[in-house]
Amino acid sequence: MEKYELMFRNYFKIAWRNIFKHKVYSIINVVGLALGLCTFIVLFLISHYELAFDNFHPDKARIYRIVGDLKTASGEDIDLNRAPYSFQLSIQHEIPGLDVVAGFYPYKANISVKNTGGLLREFDGAAQDGNWWTSIIVANQSYFAIFKYDWLAGNEANALNHPYKVVISENRALQYFGSIPFEKMLGREITYNDSVRAQVSGIIKDWNKNTDFPFTDIISINTLCQSGDLKKPDLWTFVKVSTGTSSATINHQLEGFIKNHPIGDPLLKRSMYLQSLSDIHFNSHFYEDGFRKAHLPTIYSLIAIAFFILLIAIINFINLSTAQTISRAKEMGIRRVLGSRKTGIIFQFLTETFIQISISTGVAVIAIKPILTVFHNFIPPDLRFNLTSPSTILLLFLLILTTTVLSGLYPAKILSSYEPILSLKGIRSTGANNKMTLRKGLIVFQFSLSLFFIIAVIVIGNQLQFIRNKDLGYNTDAIIIIKTSGRDS
């Protein structure tokens, strides 16, 4: 054991000496790789953030939203993300294969609450994370059978069964009533829009995952129907299909249901179908639902660009490392004469590579937060880089390990391939010359890929410049857009 400990200690000692001996080379290598690693990590964070939306729900593959299309008399196609109130009441009885049917709808309201001391406090109903124009919804009890929460107080089975009941999230509860026990918050009154008074019937834990449903106040739908503030609204209808039932089967049944139960004007052609939960965050057709949309092809492009940039950084590291092997040929020859094996030389060079890549990763991690701050307009608003999270630690570990192997193995094999006698004479072996052919190919590939990205940046930059400065033929500051209710043209 002491033998291996001494061996690795010598590896690290010699590696540090070589790094400090060739300071300029080491700085160029570390900085170049750090830029590539930093870019890769940032693009990976953005892609992972978007792809992780609502992936944490139990039975997520069985959860769908019912959406539709409406063809008007003029031939215009309108995407529908809601269904009439009566629709969700009917399909749960007439369409087999649906385990749960839940309807809910966002409710924009100002909130007033009397705290423990009797002081009236007012709150804004806007979502706290900025992704939603309101964090309040009205829903039926089935909502909690589709979207699961951890309950801190109240009864999950009947919290919304009666009118004038509301379930609030943990953060909202603390804002409304302070730090009193959650059980004592049950029965407290919350007033919405100065007219709808609801008693707290449950408190749920906030989701700490990426979601398009950051609801904090969930009011019983019977409350608003009875209060007169909102009667029979069009609802977002979510369903959980039975195990073994395909979406195509439900879509076929929905087609027959619409034929037997026409909705709205019979002259308008309407169709209803299932939209998977995983599609909601990336489908921009249903813009009226208020979700911040992401473009899936763009996300995949970012992933591809991230790996290309990492590949360029690794190839650049390999080219710089192999360029230095010429100056270290005599060193390797002496090591071989003194009894070093090829595996020992390979591990020695991999140790040097590991140290440089670890330093590069550290520099990249330090640069991530400033980059996220500078480019905040192009980055999702809630994206954070948490160095202490297990997923981040695992990513950095795999990144260092993979980059070390990919960047260090080829130069290490070249160093170990030199013949001792020829190396001491300053002559490279024929095998080493043949292996340098791969290095030339890597240089050509690196420059070709770099030129491709440079040209792409120039073209896109010119396009953006054209869009910003093109004369549209009218003064945009003198034109306003008035948004009317519904689809009034």
Side-chain angles (χ1 to χ4, degrees):
M1 188 67 180
E2 292 182 3
K3 175 184 175 182
Y4 290 107
E5 184 180 347
L6 180 62
M7 180 180 67
F8 282 110
R9 189 185 303 167
N10 287 332
Y11 283 164
F12 276 94
K13 187 183 296 184
I14 295 170
W16 277 114
R17 284 178 181 174
N18 279 315
I19 289 173
F20 282 101
K21 182 181 178 180
H22 307 92
K23 294 185 181 66
V24 175
Y25 155 79
S26 299
I27 291 173
I28 293 174
N29 230 356
V30 166
V31 172
L33 190 58
L35 289 173
L37 290 173
C38 182
T39 305
F40 175 84
I41 294 172
V42 169
L43 294 180
F44 177 85
L45 288 174
I46 295 173
S47 304
H48 180 266
Y49 175 85
E50 298 291 6
L51 294 174
F53 263 75
D54 289 303
N55 279 342
F56 61 92
H57 299 288
D59 300 323
K60 62 183 178 182
R62 296 168 51 204
I63 298 176
Y64 296 85
R65 179 173 67 168
I66 295 182
V67 295
D69 297 319
L70 182 66
K71 186 178 287 293
T72 65
S74 60
E76 179 187 4
D77 287 323
I78 299 175
D79 296 309
L80 304 173
N81 58 4
R82 307 174 194 167
Y85 182 81
S86 58
F87 175 79
Q88 66 101 12
L89 294 176
S90 301
I91 61 172
Q92 58 188 343
H93 300 296
E94 298 190 29
I95 295 183
L98 300 179
D99 283 351
V100 185
V101 179
F104 62 92
Y105 181 73
Y107 177 56
K108 195 173 178 110
N110 294 320
I111 307 163
S112 56
V113 180
K114 285 187 178 180
N115 61 13
T116 307
L119 181 65
L120 186 66
R121 303 176 63 194
E122 294 186 352
F123 299 88
D124 186 6
Q128 298 170 351
D129 62 0
N131 285 349
W132 190 272
W133 58 278
T134 177
S135 62
I136 310 168
I137 61 169
V138 292
N140 55 22
Q141 181 62 39
S142 299
Y143 172 84
F144 295 114
I146 291 184
F147 297 104
K148 297 296 183 180
Y149 294 84
D150 292 329
W151 285 72
L152 305 176
N155 189 344
E156 178 181 0
N158 57 17
L160 296 182
N161 278 346
H162 302 287
Y164 304 104
K165 300 294 181 182
V166 61
V167 175
I168 58 177
S169 70
E170 178 183 8
N171 287 336
R172 281 294 199 186
L174 295 175
Q175 288 181 356
Y176 292 162
F177 306 111
S179 57
I180 64 174
F182 292 125
E183 292 293 339
K184 293 187 178 180
M185 296 181 186
L186 298 179
R188 294 292 186 94
E189 188 174 86
I190 303 175
T191 304
Y192 298 92
N193 281 341
D194 299 325
S195 59
V196 179
R197 296 182 177 181
Q199 291 182 333
V200 177
S201 59
I203 298 172
I204 53 180
K205 194 171 185 62
D206 294 86
W207 288 329
N208 59 357
K209 306 288 186 180
N210 297 344
T211 180
D212 282 320
F213 310 101
F215 306 131
T216 58
D217 298 58
I218 304 170
I219 306 171
S220 166
I221 198 168
N222 296 324
T223 302
L224 298 184
C225 290
Q226 290 198 12
S227 69
D229 191 67
L230 184 64
K231 292 185 177 180
K232 294 186 177 180
D234 285 349
L235 304 174
W236 286 319
T237 303
F238 279 73
V239 300
K240 182 184 288 187
V241 302
S242 305
T243 304
T245 303
S246 67
S247 58
T249 301
I250 302 298
N251 287 337
H252 180 71
Q253 293 176 353
L254 284 172
E255 184 180 348
F257 180 87
I258 295 298
K259 289 181 179 179
N260 297 329
H261 303 79
I263 301 174
D265 190 343
L267 298 178
L268 302 180
K269 187 177 180 180
R270 182 190 294 258
S271 63
M272 306 295 286
Y273 57 92
L274 297 182
Q275 179 192 26
S276 65
L277 181 65
S278 60
D279 181 63
I280 292 177
H281 186 67
F282 303 102
N283 195 322
S284 60
H285 293 295
F286 306 99
Y287 60 90
E288 286 189 346
D289 54 19
F291 301 129
R292 183 187 63 81
K293 304 294 185 179
H295 190 232
L296 196 56
T298 301
I299 301 301
Y300 291 147
S301 299
L302 287 179
I303 295 174
I305 291 171
F307 279 101
F308 272 123
I309 291 175
L310 181 62
L311 182 62
I312 291 174
I314 290 174
I315 292 175
N316 182 66
F317 189 96
I318 292 174
N319 289 334
L320 290 173
S321 298
T322 51
Q324 199 193 27
T325 58
I326 301 173
S327 64
R328 298 184 63 179
K330 288 187 178 181
E331 175 193 341
M332 296 302 113
I334 293 173
R335 287 179 177 277
R336 294 292 300 278
V337 169
L338 293 177
S340 293
R341 297 180 179 180
K342 285 186 176 183
T343 54
I345 294 175
I346 290 174
F347 276 112
Q348 170 64 52
F349 194 85
L350 286 176
T351 302
E352 295 180 22
T353 304
F354 173 78
I355 293 175
Q356 292 187 57
I357 289 175
S358 297
I359 296 173
S360 298
T361 305
V363 174
V365 167
I366 293 172
I368 286 175
K369 286 193 176 180
I371 288 178
L372 292 179
T373 302
V374 171
F375 294 98
H376 67 277
N377 289 331
F378 306 95
I379 293 173
D382 298 325
L383 179 62
R384 299 290 183 271
F385 176 67
N386 184 7
L387 184 58
T388 59
S389 70
S391 59
T392 302
I393 294 173
L394 179 61
L395 170 65
L396 295 178
F397 172 76
L398 292 176
L399 198 56
I400 292 173
L401 183 63
T402 305
T403 310
T404 299
V405 173
L406 293 177
S407 302
L409 196 57
Y410 172 64
K413 291 195 71 175
I414 289 181
L415 275 175
S416 64
S417 68
Y418 289 131
E419 295 295 335
I421 297 176
L422 296 177
S423 299
L424 291 174
K425 291 181 179 180
I427 303 172
R428 286 184 293 170
S429 63
T430 306
N433 287 328
N434 291 334
K435 289 181 179 179
M436 285 299 174
T437 304
L438 178 59
R439 176 173 174 259
K440 295 176 183 177
L442 291 175
I443 292 175
V444 172
F445 178 77
Q446 176 190 359
F447 275 93
S448 300
L449 206 56
S450 300
L451 284 173
F452 171 77
F453 281 121
I454 291 171
I455 293 171
V457 169
I458 293 174
V459 171
I460 294 173
N462 289 337
Q463 288 178 332
L464 293 175
Q465 188 74 12
F466 175 80
I467 292 171
R468 291 194 186 103
N469 299 324
K470 174 64 177 175
D471 184 11
L472 300 178
Y474 58 86
N475 183 6
T476 56
D477 294 334
I479 298 176
I480 62 173
I481 297 176
I482 300 176
K483 189 174 182 180
T484 61
S485 60
R487 297 183 180 273
D488 185 2
S489 59

